[in-house]
Amino acid sequence: MITSPTLATSGAERLVLAGLARSATLNAQEVQLVSSCASHTDSVEAGQELAELGTFLSKPKLVLSGWVGHARLLDDGRRQIVELNIAGEPTAFGLRPLSKARASYVALTPVRYAEIGELVERAMARPDQYPGLVSGLRAADDEGHSRLYDHVVRAGRMLAHERLAHFALDLCRRHERVGLCVSQSFPMPLTQEVLGDVLGLSTVHVNRTLQQLRREGLLKTTSGRWQIPSVEHLETVAGGGAHGQ
Amino acid sequence: MITSPTLATSGAERLVLAGLARSATLNAQEVQLVSSCASHTDSVEAGQELAELGTFLSKPKLVLSGWVGHARLLDDGRRQIVELNIAGEPTAFGLRPLSKARASYVALTPVRYAEIGELVERAMARPDQYPGLVSGLRAADDEGHSRLYDHVVRAGRMLAHERLAHFALDLCRRHERVGLCVSQSFPMPLTQEVLGDVLGLSTVHVNRTLQQLRREGLLKTTSGRWQIPSVEHLETVAGGGAHGQ
DNA sequence: CGCACATTTGACGAGAATCAACTGCAGTGG
DNA sequence: CCACTGCAGTTGATTCTCGTCAAATGTGCG
């Protein structure tokens, strides 16, 4: 695997790292454990694999920037991206030890990440000493599970424009959590081809559906960002896909 | 909730209960804990809800017979069944405490089940004393997670006949695990309408696709059962949906 | 028998995939 | 500086999968 040399961790990235705790506050011991991760960061270019299908997830990471996809391939080349991880989310991560990768974890953009293997191990070994981290990791795992449910509903029962609306709302909320969402606007570095692999649509249809949403003023797409002018309005388009819980 | 009175647990059901351990062997203490569940069984009719969307999964159960579906509704009536549980599988179950139902857990047929709340709590509290049960519960949780990935791929990227083939193979394997699969034949109590809600297809299209598979000799459907004449053959139809592994 | 419900069939239309070509744009090198 | 290249986005024409509507057939059961 080709990786660029470890770069200094920026202040913004430290903030993302600290966000691991989700809503909980961290005690002194936890803060130290988190900051020790700041020196174990690395990056990969787009297209690189972070974890291989079927292997053990022994090296969990926290995404600092960029997007990771959990991809499954069908033998004729079709691809389905089952889940995404953006900044602030654990990836190549399984709460219980010995969990295997159920997909190929691919960097969909250049990705910076921190190794959190040691952090996870220590925290899970003594939950009483690391309550904030443990609840943060559990919450992240739980949200991932929830998103899988959403994804099945999207792919199974929603029309193209509903899928896009539902997906955009999900991304908006997730970026809000890490402070990357300003005035309902967040980064969208994915090509329409990749977007199709996420939503179960062809590239061409993604393009046409996006145009429709733009025409109706439901979504603005400018220079690698999406903006949602009215969340309420977009929610009505997304159907009743029961967000979050 | 309307429930019929608790009935005596049959020998077959005790076997299903014991299957909770998956491949692991149980120690004396575990065996006793499991058999204590045999006296906490109940049943519900088809259509009843076992756990409500958004509520805490505080009363986990083990399915003894019948099928449970995790259903999500869209506001115009469309329904997607995100996951299924058959005999031998935990349902309304979350490995970590305080996990919420991400869907409505519905009995798709008459369902017999055992309450395993106490078992789960005791086992997870002292994993060293109940190694077999803990690993069994973890394995069940893990398989469920895996099936979600499969389900997204099915719904997102597979054609109708591929979805059905993939689904039939999945069911065959799961029924094998509990000894309910004889010569590649297993129960199929779901109506084609429910099948559509599982696979993200219309009732009519399920019907036509089933006919196609039957015509091609890939699937036999007789009196509430499905039979797979050739697993290898059906696997080639299912594409490369990377099963379980 | 008659009722309710599941399965099946036909005709038609809508949503999405496919194929192919064209545009626009950033990066590269002559 | 500008032609050339590669890739993402866009467009049009066409095909195909699948959904919808409606009616008919089949099946278990009181």
Side-chain angles (χ1 to χ4, degrees):
Chain A
M1 193 196 309
I2 301 161
T3 63
S4 61
T6 302
L7 302 168
T9 311
S10 74
E13 288 183 353
R14 282 173 192 278
L15 268 179
V16 169
L17 246 174
L20 233 184
R22 292 289 194 280
S23 49
T25 35
L26 301 181
N27 60 38
Q29 204 175 172
E30 293 177 311
V31 170
Q32 211 206 319
L33 192 49
V34 168
S35 51
S36 79
C37 287
S39 53
H40 294 75
T41 67
D42 206 346
S43 43
V44 292
E45 345 164 5
Q48 296 295 312
E49 201 174 34
L50 291 168
E52 203 181 332
L53 172 65
T55 60
F56 288 109
L57 295 173
S58 53
K59 289 175 154 292
K61 306 168 197 327
L62 185 83
V63 179
L64 296 174
S65 67
W67 295 40
V68 175
H70 307 202
R72 279 275 197 89
L73 285 175
L74 270 60
D75 46 16
D76 64 349
R78 279 173 290 177
R79 181 169 79 154
Q80 175 68 47
I81 293 177
V82 177
E83 182 154 16
L84 287 175
N85 294 124
I86 62 168
E89 297 176 355
T91 195
F93 165 72
L95 203 47
R96 36 206 161 293
L98 299 182
S99 43
K100 279 188 184 175
R102 285 169 271 261
S104 161
Y105 289 65
V106 185
L108 301 172
T109 68
V111 168
R112 294 252 317 138
Y113 61 87
E115 298 285 358
I116 56 169
E118 210 180 318
L119 179 149
V120 171
E121 242 172 77
R122 287 207 203 168
M124 298 312 291
R126 290 185 210 70
D128 45 311
Q129 283 187 42
Y130 302 95
L133 287 181
V134 170
S135 80
L137 290 171
R138 289 222 166 107
D141 191 58
D142 221 51
E143 285 164 25
H145 207 271
S146 244
R147 281 197 301 270
L148 278 181
Y149 269 58
D150 284 346
H151 209 143
V152 172
V153 177
R154 253 199 314 253
R157 279 301 188 207
M158 289 189 175
L159 299 173
H161 65 278
E162 296 170 322
R163 293 189 205 185
L164 262 161
H166 191 259
F167 180 62
L169 287 166
D170 180 36
L171 286 178
C172 185
R173 297 210 176 86
R174 287 159 78 177
H175 278 98
E176 267 171 9
R177 231 192 30 75
V178 270
L180 289 175
C181 190
V182 288
S183 62
Q184 328 285 18
S185 150
F186 53 89
M188 172 42 69
L190 304 185
T191 65
Q192 296 180 352
E193 185 184 358
V194 174
L195 230 37
D197 288 342
V198 173
L199 298 172
L201 299 169
S202 69
T203 310
V204 174
H205 204 60
V206 167
N207 183 295
R208 294 195 163 114
T209 310
L210 272 174
Q211 291 181 51
Q212 183 194 333
L213 291 181
R214 281 189 297 242
R215 227 180 300 123
E216 293 168 0
L218 292 164
L219 189 65
K220 297 198 163 142
T221 67
T222 46
S223 67
R225 295 185 75 85
W226 279 7
Q227 194 200 359
I228 301 175
S230 160
V231 169
E232 301 78 39
H233 200 176
L234 199 58
E235 271 169 349
T236 67
V237 174
H243 249 295
Q245 83 291 127
Chain B
M1 194 196 309
I2 301 162
T3 63
S4 61
T6 302
L7 301 168
T9 311
S10 74
E13 288 183 353
R14 284 174 191 277
L15 269 178
V16 169
L17 247 174
L20 233 184
R22 293 289 195 278
S23 48
T25 35
L26 301 182
N27 61 37
Q29 203 175 171
E30 292 177 311
V31 169
Q32 210 205 320
L33 192 48
V34 167
S35 50
S36 79
C37 287
S39 53
H40 294 75
T41 67
D42 206 344
S43 41
V44 293
E45 345 164 3
Q48 295 296 312
E49 200 174 36
L50 291 169
E52 201 180 334
L53 172 65
T55 61
F56 288 109
L57 295 173
S58 53
K59 288 174 154 292
K61 305 167 198 326
L62 185 83
V63 179
L64 295 172
S65 67
W67 294 41
V68 176
H70 307 204
R72 278 275 197 90
L73 285 176
L74 271 60
D75 45 18
D76 64 349
R78 279 174 288 178
R79 181 169 79 153
Q80 174 68 47
I81 293 177
V82 177
E83 182 154 16
L84 288 175
N85 294 123
I86 62 167
E89 296 175 355
T91 195
F93 165 72
L95 202 45
R96 35 204 161 293
L98 299 182
S99 41
K100 278 188 185 175
R102 287 168 270 261
S104 160
Y105 289 66
V106 185
L108 301 172
T109 68
V111 168
R112 294 254 314 138
Y113 62 87
E115 298 284 358
I116 56 169
E118 211 180 319
L119 180 147
V120 171
E121 242 172 75
R122 286 207 203 169
M124 298 311 291
R126 291 184 209 71
D128 45 312
Q129 283 185 43
Y130 301 94
L133 287 181
V134 170
S135 82
L137 290 172
R138 289 221 165 108
D141 189 59
D142 220 52
E143 284 163 25
H145 207 272
S146 244
R147 282 196 302 270
L148 278 181
Y149 270 59
D150 283 348
H151 209 144
V152 172
V153 176
R154 253 199 315 252
R157 280 299 190 210
M158 289 189 174
L159 299 172
H161 65 278
E162 296 170 322
R163 293 188 206 186
L164 261 161
H166 191 258
F167 180 62
L169 287 166
D170 180 36
L171 286 178
C172 185
R173 297 208 176 87
R174 288 159 77 175
H175 277 97
E176 267 171 7
R177 230 191 33 74
V178 269
L180 289 175
C181 189
V182 287
S183 61
Q184 328 284 17
S185 150
F186 53 90
M188 172 42 69
L190 305 185
T191 66
Q192 295 180 353
E193 185 184 358
V194 175
L195 230 37
D197 287 343
V198 173
L199 298 173
L201 299 168
S202 69
T203 309
V204 174
H205 204 61
V206 167
N207 182 295
R208 295 197 159 112
T209 310
L210 272 173
Q211 290 181 52
Q212 183 193 333
L213 291 180
R214 281 190 296 244
R215 228 180 299 122
E216 293 168 0
L218 292 164
L219 189 65
K220 299 198 161 141
T221 68
T222 48
S223 67
R225 295 185 73 85
W226 281 6
Q227 194 198 1
I228 301 175
S230 160
V231 169
E232 301 79 38
H233 201 176
L234 199 59
E235 271 169 348
T236 67
V237 175
H243 249 297
Q245 100 278 134

